[in-house]
Amino acid sequence: MKIMDTHCDALLKLQLRKRGTFFGMEPLDYRTSEEIDTNLIRLKTGGVKVQFFAIFIEPEVPFDEKWQHALEQVNLFYTEIIDKNPEVKHIKKWEDIDDLKDGEIGAVLTLEGADAFGNDLVKLRHLYRLGVLSIGLTWNNANLCADGAGEPRGGGLTLLGKEVVKLNNEHRVYTDVAHSTVKGFWDMLELADYPIASHSNARAICDHPRNLYDDQIEKMIEKNGIIHVVFNPPFIREDSETATITDLVRHIEHISSLGGVKNIGFGSDFDGISTFVTNLENAAQYQNLINELLTKFSEEEVRGFAYQNFLDKRPK
């Protein structure tokens, strides 16, 4: 069964190794490197048809260097993923997914955290032109748009953050709530035409700040948003560095019980996590999850989780 995955951090891995070449390290080969959970061979083996690639700037990067880091990752997206692999096609608008041929894989650029553009909306518009189709205003830290999930203050959107959401709407770009505070979530849902939780689970099952409360899940469903479950064990089982596929499926069952069967998808966070679900350690093992889901849900429902729910609810 083909798969759509709305979050991985392969671009950061490629960038860090590329920068490490100054210290004698070899650059990573996106196609085959064992260090990349979502390398091309693994995507093919796991049946991944569309993979989202996040631009993520680590918080310790000085503010005046963040834009350069973002552009480096965009450049690596083109040079290492698109240009060297003719079967990988850059999805620049949502309709491009429909044009993918057998054997082709779609690649979507996203932004995880507005730190990259600061308060410069010209830079944001440039990211739209480069093909960024989903924007999360924060990672875990606070920035000029909003507080992130790890900021104790727990604030919502600033005026700048609200302007970014409105621009996302105009450009048919998702606003990603995955790393938002509770207050930020409600601010975004009030404004966003296209909300997504690209890699979040259910807080009723695992009480972690990165997961969604039931009322948040219900609001996402009401707004026709999509909730893509994440494979990071601490977000699956409370205070645990290990998890099974069965543990992950509990989150899907819970979201489904709230009426979200048509809103669920996958956002692995591969290449951004250091511990893994057993037998789901990289993209090549995706069908293990599919096989487990088929014991709990109908084939039509599982096909929805795998890719069809996203296609049905993508921005029109």
Side-chain angles (χ1 to χ4, degrees):
M1 190 176 289
K2 62 185 179 182
I3 303 292
M4 178 172 295
D5 183 330
T6 55
H7 193 82
C8 84
D9 285 294
L11 295 181
L12 178 62
K13 276 189 176 177
L14 288 168
Q15 180 190 36
L16 292 176
R17 181 58 70 87
K18 181 82 170 178
R19 284 178 161 248
T21 58
F22 295 111
F23 303 98
M25 300 172 71
E26 290 294 321
L28 296 175
D29 180 349
Y30 172 70
R31 192 176 188 89
T32 61
S33 175
E34 288 288 319
E35 295 179 54
I36 300 178
D37 306 330
T38 53
N39 72 37
L40 185 55
I41 299 303
R42 284 170 168 162
L43 293 185
K44 289 181 175 182
T45 302
V48 177
K49 188 66 175 176
V50 179
Q51 179 66 59
F52 286 40
F53 293 86
I55 303 163
F56 170 64
I57 315 303
E58 294 184 299
E60 61 267 24
V61 172
F63 184 80
D64 60 353
E65 297 178 21
K66 290 181 184 290
W67 179 240
Q68 177 61 34
H69 277 245
L71 293 182
E72 283 181 18
Q73 290 185 28
V74 172
N75 184 62
L76 288 165
F77 174 79
Y78 280 101
T79 60
E80 302 302 314
I81 296 175
I82 303 298
D83 295 347
K84 291 184 179 179
N85 303 290
E87 64 267 61
V88 181
K89 304 299 179 182
H90 183 190
I91 303 300
K92 299 179 181 179
K93 58 184 186 299
W94 298 116
E95 295 79 7
D96 291 345
I97 296 173
D98 301 325
D99 297 330
L100 291 172
K101 299 178 176 62
D102 290 345
E104 292 182 340
I105 295 174
V108 178
L109 263 179
T110 73
L111 180 68
E112 186 174 26
D115 309 51
F117 61 84
N119 65 347
D120 189 342
L121 296 181
V122 172
K123 290 178 179 176
L124 173 60
R125 290 185 173 92
H126 188 56
L127 291 173
Y128 293 142
R129 294 187 191 101
L130 289 170
V132 170
L133 292 179
S134 178
I135 292 180
L137 271 62
T138 67
W139 186 62
N140 292 333
N141 50 297
N143 59 35
L144 297 176
C145 284
D147 283 356
E151 169 56 56
R153 176 176 54 187
L157 300 191
T158 63
L159 291 176
L160 174 66
K162 293 178 180 180
E163 183 65 22
V164 171
V165 175
K166 292 174 184 176
L167 285 171
N168 287 347
N169 293 342
E170 290 177 19
H171 289 82
R172 293 198 308 153
V173 165
Y174 275 110
T175 295
D176 190 355
V177 304
H179 279 273
S180 67
T181 62
V182 172
K183 177 68 166 60
F185 171 91
W186 291 109
D187 287 349
M188 287 186 226
L189 266 287
E190 183 178 337
L191 296 171
D193 291 339
Y194 311 113
I196 182 176
S198 66
H199 54 306
S200 296
N201 290 338
R203 200 153 180 174
I205 303 298
C206 177
D207 187 14
H208 191 284
R210 280 276 286 97
N211 290 339
L212 299 173
Y213 288 112
D214 284 0
D215 60 344
Q216 293 176 298
I217 293 170
E218 289 165 348
K219 187 64 176 180
M220 288 287 287
I221 295 167
E222 179 189 324
K223 290 273 293 192
N224 209 36
I226 47 179
I227 303 162
H228 283 227
V229 295
V230 61
F231 302 171
N232 192 13
F235 303 166
I236 298 171
R237 292 181 60 195
E238 225 165 302
D239 301 319
S240 178
E241 295 296 317
T242 62
T244 66
I245 291 177
T246 300
D247 294 326
L248 176 61
V249 170
R250 289 179 64 210
H251 289 266
I252 294 173
E253 290 177 311
H254 183 76
I255 297 168
S256 296
S257 74
L258 297 174
V261 171
K262 298 291 188 183
N263 304 77
I264 296 169
F266 306 140
S268 64
D269 206 4
F270 283 142
D271 295 306
I273 54 179
S274 55
T275 60
F276 301 91
V277 175
T278 304
N279 296 321
L280 194 56
E281 286 93 0
N282 59 62
Q285 297 180 308
Y286 244 119
Q287 297 306 314
N288 293 336
L289 172 58
I290 295 300
N291 291 336
E292 178 75 14
L293 286 167
L294 286 170
T295 69
K296 306 280 188 180
F297 297 90
S298 71
E299 184 174 344
E300 180 183 359
E301 289 170 333
V302 176
R303 189 178 298 109
F305 304 154
Y307 68 93
Q308 194 61 49
N309 288 348
F310 183 94
L311 293 184
D312 291 344
K313 296 185 182 300
R314 60 185 155 163
K316 305 299 183 188

